[in-house]
């Protein structure tokens, strides 16, 4: 299955830099973006923050992501991380192209998400709010949804 419906949930506020206690005041995505660009992924079409979508009772199984970047040394706060990105489409009336942003948990030292929560990089969606329902479709062959 390559489509699931989910509910927007509040995140840690670290990707966007909104969290008061984050050591990454500008946001982690803004700090990581130049490293991804140097490896061939331009994040400029997207807001440099994540939309967190809880797709319970489903989980995403990443099989062949469009991009995987290993050993990205984007901060001195902790060691390098590995990231994968899956192409997706999010539907909220109109469909918009986006990416599932997937830091690999084995290299991510803090701010983990529940396994049913997707972190999405999307263009600005005016008025998007916690509690809103969105449908996400992942690119065939890159990932699939399973019931957890």
């Amino acid at each position: 299955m390559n489509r699931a419906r989910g509910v927007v949930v509040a995140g840690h506020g670290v990707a966007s830099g909104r969290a008061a206690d984050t050591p990454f005041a500008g946001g982690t995505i803004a700090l990581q973006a130049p490293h991804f660009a140097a490896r061939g992924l331009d994040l400029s079409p997207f807001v440099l923050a994540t939309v967190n979508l809880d797709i319970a009772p489903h989980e995403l199984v990443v099989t062949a992501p469009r991009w995987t970047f290993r050993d990205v040394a984007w901060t001195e706060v902790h060691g390098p991380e590995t990231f994968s990105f899956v192409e997706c489409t999010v539907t909220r009336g109109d469909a918009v192209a986006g990416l599932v942003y997937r830091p690999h948990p084995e290299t991510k030292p803090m701010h983990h998400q529940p396994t049913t929560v997707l972190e999405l990089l999307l263009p600005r969606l005016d008025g998007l709010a916690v509690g809103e329902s969105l449908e996400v479709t992942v690119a065939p062959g890159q990932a699939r949804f399973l019931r957890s």
Side-chain angles (χ1 to χ4, degrees):
M1 174 169 90
N2 72 334
R3 181 176 301 166
R5 183 162 286 284
V7 176
V8 175
V9 295
H12 298 291
V14 177
S16 64
R18 293 183 193 165
D21 61 347
T22 180
F24 313 109
T28 59
I29 305 295
L31 293 170
Q32 294 163 359
H35 297 274
F36 301 146
R39 296 175 185 214
L41 176 58
D42 177 16
L43 295 184
S44 66
F46 309 113
V47 174
L48 296 182
T50 58
V51 171
N52 298 288
L53 189 68
D54 191 343
I55 56 167
H58 297 95
E59 292 184 21
L60 184 71
V61 176
V62 176
T63 53
R66 173 65 176 85
W67 294 275
T68 296
F69 304 125
R70 299 187 189 290
D71 299 322
V72 179
W74 63 274
T75 179
E76 293 182 8
V77 174
H78 55 71
E81 291 182 73
T82 298
F83 300 87
S84 289
F85 296 86
V86 171
E87 295 167 304
C88 69
T89 302
V90 171
T91 305
R92 177 192 186 224
D94 293 330
V96 297
L99 296 171
V100 176
Y101 164 84
R102 180 61 67 96
H104 289 216
E106 67 276 9
T107 64
K108 185 176 179 178
M110 51 188 153
H111 306 112
H112 293 270
Q113 296 290 349
T115 58
T116 61
V117 173
L118 300 180
E119 293 183 89
L120 302 172
L121 295 174
L122 300 171
R124 182 158 312 284
L125 298 177
D126 291 332
L128 184 67
V130 169
E132 191 167 337
S133 177
L134 300 174
E135 183 176 86
V136 61
T137 304
V138 292
Q142 293 184 26
R144 68 182 186 283
F145 295 104
L146 294 177
R147 281 180 87 70
S148 53

